[in-house]
Amino acid sequence: MVEHDLNRIFHALSDPTRRAILDRLAAGEATISHLSRPFPLSFAAVSKHLGVLEHAGLVTREKRGRERVCRINPAALEDAHNWLEFHEHFWTSRLEALDTLVGTSPDNLDE
Amino acid sequence: MVEHDLNRIFHALSDPTRRAILDRLAAGEATISHLSRPFPLSFAAVSKHLGVLEHAGLVTREKRGRERVCRINPAALEDAHNWLEFHEHFWTSRLEALDTLVGTSPDNLDE
DNA sequence: GTTATATTCAACTGTATGGTTGAACATGAT
DNA sequence: ATCATGTTCAACCATACAGTTGAATATAAC
């Protein structure tokens, strides 16, 4: 896993339309036109969003006849998930360590 | 938790400089000038990044004398973490359900 | 073959982003 | 009071982004 993978994944997830598309894809594969229907956006705009998601590895597109079927790829979330999990724990434990050091916690009064 | 919180958090995390700043803050609070030193960026650029992080709730800035001390706020990661955790599980289970339905798994051959 | 459908691509627009610089301001040090 | 330091702010620039439209392409249906 490399830096720019995270850049792409987090960037892809930062747009509500793209997150909605992902949610929709969780219900099963779908074509682009089918995906674009519920959005107040042009077909091309949704296709671009799919491009961003595909580039981030979150979605795969497979040509099937004249249409293109999109599927979700949960594995790509792992990079982001791992980053968050590690940092959340790391940061929290560092902060707790600092608290203990400084002795701001009331529990430390009788030590 | 609202939609635009996630937008801001994911967007804040999508930049490698900002993630590096967060990592640096995990080691303890720091002033902006101290944070900006290791980066090949102007002071103002780093200050802007801090602004983005603060706006996303990931960092707090407190004025102390003439300098401004930045601290990390791990709690803000929870929104993103929860979103990822839920969707990763949800997507994966949905995909497994579809697999079972279609019977593509070799385990289903003798049923 | 013609037509309709699904998609891509290119061109364009407006706005956001990430960066710069230099001026302004507040506070600490001398 | 003066000077140095830490920070913000405003102006500016280049590029990226999200959106549009219309033309081009590929495939299915008739």
Side-chain angles (χ1 to χ4, degrees):
Chain A
M1 195 256 300
V2 228
E3 275 288 289
H4 63 259
D5 288 338
L6 275 181
N7 298 354
R8 284 203 273 259
I9 293 174
F10 280 133
H11 172 243
L13 294 177
S14 74
D15 183 283
T17 301
R18 285 194 287 266
R19 290 200 303 275
I21 291 176
L22 289 173
D23 273 340
R24 202 131 205 295
L25 281 178
E29 59 182 31
T31 67
I32 305 184
S33 53
H34 184 240
L35 281 170
S36 78
R37 221 160 294 153
F39 294 101
L41 293 175
S42 70
F43 180 92
V46 174
S47 180
K48 276 193 191 176
H49 280 303
L50 261 318
V52 173
L53 291 167
E54 188 178 30
H55 198 224
L58 291 162
V59 157
T60 58
R61 286 195 275 190
E62 180 204 338
K63 195 168 180 177
R64 189 182 299 168
R66 73 182 144 181
E67 49 193 19
R68 198 160 281 248
V69 175
C70 307
R71 261 191 301 278
I72 211 167
N73 174 28
L77 277 194
E78 256 179 75
D79 283 351
H81 189 212
N82 288 341
W83 191 93
L84 280 177
E85 190 130 275
F86 173 78
H87 286 82
E88 198 174 354
H89 290 164
F90 181 62
W91 298 353
T92 304
S93 62
R94 287 298 283 120
L95 288 189
E96 277 164 6
L98 287 172
D99 274 356
T100 308
L101 214 68
V102 182
T104 52
S105 164
D107 306 282
N108 298 345
L109 285 180
D110 53 352
E111 288 189 30
Chain B
M1 196 257 297
V2 228
E3 274 288 289
H4 63 260
D5 288 337
L6 274 182
N7 298 354
R8 285 202 273 258
I9 293 174
F10 281 132
H11 172 243
L13 295 177
S14 73
D15 184 282
T17 301
R18 286 194 286 267
R19 290 200 304 275
I21 290 175
L22 289 174
D23 273 341
R24 202 132 206 296
L25 281 178
E29 60 182 32
T31 67
I32 305 184
S33 53
H34 183 241
L35 281 171
S36 78
R37 220 160 295 153
F39 293 101
L41 293 174
S42 69
F43 181 92
V46 174
S47 181
K48 276 192 192 178
H49 281 303
L50 261 319
V52 172
L53 291 167
E54 187 177 31
H55 198 226
L58 290 161
V59 158
T60 57
R61 285 195 275 190
E62 180 204 339
K63 194 167 180 176
R64 189 182 301 168
R66 73 180 144 181
E67 49 193 22
R68 196 159 282 248
V69 174
C70 306
R71 259 191 302 278
I72 212 167
N73 175 27
L77 277 194
E78 257 180 72
D79 284 350
H81 189 214
N82 288 340
W83 191 93
L84 280 177
E85 189 130 275
F86 173 78
H87 285 82
E88 198 174 352
H89 290 164
F90 181 62
W91 297 353
T92 304
S93 62
R94 286 297 283 120
L95 288 188
E96 278 165 4
L98 288 172
D99 274 355
T100 308
L101 213 67
V102 182
T104 52
S105 166
D107 306 282
N108 298 344
L109 285 179
D110 53 353
E111 285 188 34

